[in-house]
Each structure stands twice: as structure tokens, then as C-alpha cells.
Amino acid sequence: MGVPLFDPATPTRPLRAELRAAVHAVLDSGAFVLGPEVEAFEREFAAYLGTSHAVGVANGTEAITIALRALGVGPGDDVVVPSFTFWASAEAIPPTGARPVFCDVDDATMLATADTVRAVLTPQTKAVIVPHLFGNVADIAAIEALGVPVVEDTAQAAGSIGPDGVRPGAIGTIATFSFYPSKNLGAFGDGGAVCTASQELADTVRMLRFHGSRDKVDYEAVGYNSRLDEMQAAILRVQLPCLDAWGRHRNLAGERYAAALDGVVRTPQAAAGAAPAWHLYMVRHPRADQLLTALTAKEIGARPYYRTPIHAQAPMLQYAPTDPEAALPVTVQAAREHLAIPMSAVITSAQQDEVVAALTAATGA
Ligand SMILES: *Cc1c(COP(=O)(O)O)cnc(C)c1O
């Protein structure tokens, strides 16, 4: 039958009429950028997270750059980031003038930890970017206890729940989101947000997203044209009330996979006390590429995402540790072994059974 790797379209099908009405309302309003829909979404999204401020921006990559700038990051500073994450987590650093410093991740959760961050701190470290990778929830408080502010890169973890019911995006000093269509909360184009409990940081982010100006008259910084548009905000508002149900579905599907794939492949471990809304379900196996071929032959979506980790990509070699195998051992091994298998807000148990059967046959388990 085949199973798609992800499925961003099906979950919005029951919302068709509401989405159409929201889009038509924007068309009729004549306000297209940073208007009432964006303001309403910012309020609703901050309330959903349990934080004070959400500021809409153009995408999740600029959200990180702007968050770093708001923290005062600039030339001469170091910013710690895992090498095992999506490229954009690190790509967002050099535009501030700062230097990326790569840290390793934990072998069980694939997340940066206080230990992996501490190992690479320098006197120049001004901030740490911690991705809630694949929807898992990193221990932000333990990392901030090292004395450096954390930017929670929450692009993959909308709808996840952390320890004590706190949502990723409302844990650290400042957090960023991407609303790229394939993310857990996806617009119908690009979009992003920067979230924080600090009024001062939120004001700075608003200034930076609009060309470095607070009043469109005077310019206090060289900023960005990084705005969320009304159409995307209206579309996100329709979907936001569904995010928790979609997150629960992803979480339960993950538990189902973990039970069924025991002894077949290594499955991701949820962080202690967390209920991840798995964005990607990333398994590990020494013969990952062989499994990829076997799944592809059965029309089951599968894909390695970070086969070449960031520190080994050409533009980042200048920032790489001299001996990556020694400095980033988990990253190097996870890069070879990982493989994403189908996951979505609407994946069925029959689809999961098909994936499990194919993996079991391919591994000979
Ligand atoms: C998608 C993603 C980003 C970038 O978001 P865009 O909206 O595509 O710019 C950043 N970090 C992580 C971890 C992501 O998955």
C-alpha cells in the first residue's frame, strides 16, 4: 500500500471551510502584512505556550538570528549549537557576526545537554541554541544554570509537552518557531515566531523585525525585513486549536512504534517527564542505508536528514573542531545511523504495522 513519510495536508482537510473563510476575510480586509490577524495570532500563540510574548517573523531561520541579536550577540562572540540538527540552527549564527561552536548530543535523546554544552563553553560564549530536536524536549533549565542564555529552537516541537506540563518555547530566555508547511504547526507558506517572557526582549525583537525601527521614523539598528503576513497568521489561527490533539496523536504513535520496534531498531527516547509530539520519528541502525533501500522498495517513506552533520558541511569547516570523532562522537555515529520513518498527525495503526513489518523483514529481526 505504501506509507508517506509525512502528511501535512490530511490534518487540515476537516478545516477546509474555516480556512477558506479566514483567507477570504483577509482578502476583504485589504490588510496584508503585520495587521490584526498577526496581532491576534501573537496573543493566542503566547497564551497557548504559557508565555507573555510571541512576535511573528518571516521564518524560523530569521527567528533565530533575530533572537540572538536581541540577546546582544555580535562580532567576537561564540554561540554554542549542536552539530546534529537542521542546518538552519547553525546557519542563523554567522549573520550576527558571532562564531558557531559545535557541541555534541546525548546518545539516547539526541538532544544537547548541560554536559555536552559545558564541554565547549568559552569565555566568549554569549548564548546557546538548543533545538528540541525531532519534537523531543531538551532540559533548558539545566543548560541555563550554566550561566548562559538559551535560545530554544522549537521549530520541530510545536505541540510537545515538557516536564511539569511546561511547553517548549516557554522554558528558556527566548524561543523560536518555524511555521514552514511540514512542521507540526504549518502555514501555507513561510512563517516564524520569537517568543519570550521578557517585555524588553520582545520589544527589541519587534524593533529588529521591522528594519531596526520602533516608530518607522528613527532607526536604531541595522535590522531585518522579517514579517509575518496576515494570510499566514489567519491560517495559523484556524489550526492552533487542533495543535494539542495533533501532538497527542504524534506522541501515541511514537509509543506504538517504540513498543513494536523493540529489538528491531533503536528508537528515540523521550526526555524524562516529556510527551514529545514527534515531528520526525528517527530510528537508528548500523545498516540504515540498507533499511532505506528496503523501505523505498515497498513505497514506505524514509529519509536520512543529517547524514553529513553541520560541522562537516563545507561552509562550516572553518568552525569545526580539529578532531570531530573525539569531540563529537555521538553526532558522528548518529549521523551514520539515523533514518526517519513515517510520522504524522494522522498516521494510522495499520500504516504503522506496515512500516514495522517492513523494518522487521529488512533487519532480519
Ligand atoms: C525548520 C527548522 C528551522 C528553520 O525554519 P525555517 O522556517 O525553514 O527557516 C530551524 N531549526 C530547526 C531545528 C528546523 O527544523
Side-chain angles (χ1 to χ4, degrees), residues 59-61 64 85-86 88-89 131 153 155-156 178-180 183 190-191:
N59 57 66
T61 309
I64 300 172
T85 175
F86 178 52
S89 303
D153 178 354
Q156 299 188 359
S178 164
F179 304 122
Y180 183 74
K183 309 287 184 179
D190 279 303

Side-chain angles (χ1 to χ4, degrees), residues 132-346:
H132 294 295
L133 198 65
F134 308 140
N136 213 347
V137 184
D139 190 347
I140 302 297
I143 297 169
E144 290 209 322
L146 299 170
V148 278
V150 166
V151 176
E152 290 179 70
D153 178 354
T154 323
Q156 299 188 359
S160 291
I161 299 174
D164 304 319
V166 179
R167 293 183 184 284
I171 312 173
T173 300
I174 197 163
T176 61
F177 284 84
S178 164
F179 304 122
Y180 183 74
S182 70
K183 309 287 184 179
N184 290 359
L185 177 63
F188 297 172
D190 279 303
V194 181
C195 303
T196 178
S198 156
Q199 178 77 56
E200 193 185 338
L201 284 175
D203 288 345
T204 306
V205 168
R206 286 184 195 284
M207 175 270 287
L208 288 168
R209 83 168 164 183
F210 189 87
H211 304 290
S213 176
R214 292 177 204 266
D215 58 6
K216 307 185 185 180
V217 178
D218 291 312
Y219 296 83
E220 65 186 83
V222 173
Y224 305 85
N225 172 4
S226 188
R227 302 178 292 220
L228 186 61
D229 65 71
E230 288 284 285
M231 204 75 90
Q232 302 309 335
I235 286 162
L236 290 167
R237 288 184 71 201
V238 172
Q239 295 182 70
L240 184 58
C242 302
L243 183 56
D244 273 341
W246 292 341
R248 269 194 302 279
H249 190 100
R250 290 174 179 275
N251 180 259
L252 291 174
E255 287 186 2
R256 224 172 158 274
Y257 266 145
L261 291 172
D262 187 29
V264 179
V265 290
R266 264 186 84 180
T267 55
Q269 183 183 305
W278 298 110
H279 170 60
L280 297 171
Y281 197 80
M282 211 56 91
V283 301
R284 285 171 63 181
H285 193 277
R287 291 180 282 113
D289 286 330
Q290 212 173 305
L291 302 190
L292 171 62
T293 307
L295 293 178
T296 307
K298 292 182 172 164
E299 289 178 31
I300 293 173
R303 221 191 100 182
Y305 274 73
Y306 315 133
R307 202 54 98 223
T308 303
I310 300 176
H311 72 268
Q313 301 282 357
M316 293 290 173
L317 286 174
Q318 57 185 312
Y319 308 115
T322 38
D323 184 356
E325 301 265 346
L328 306 169
V330 178
T331 296
V332 169
Q333 196 184 352
R336 283 196 210 110
E337 293 185 347
H338 75 282
L339 188 68
I341 61 173
M343 172 56 70
S344 75
V346 290

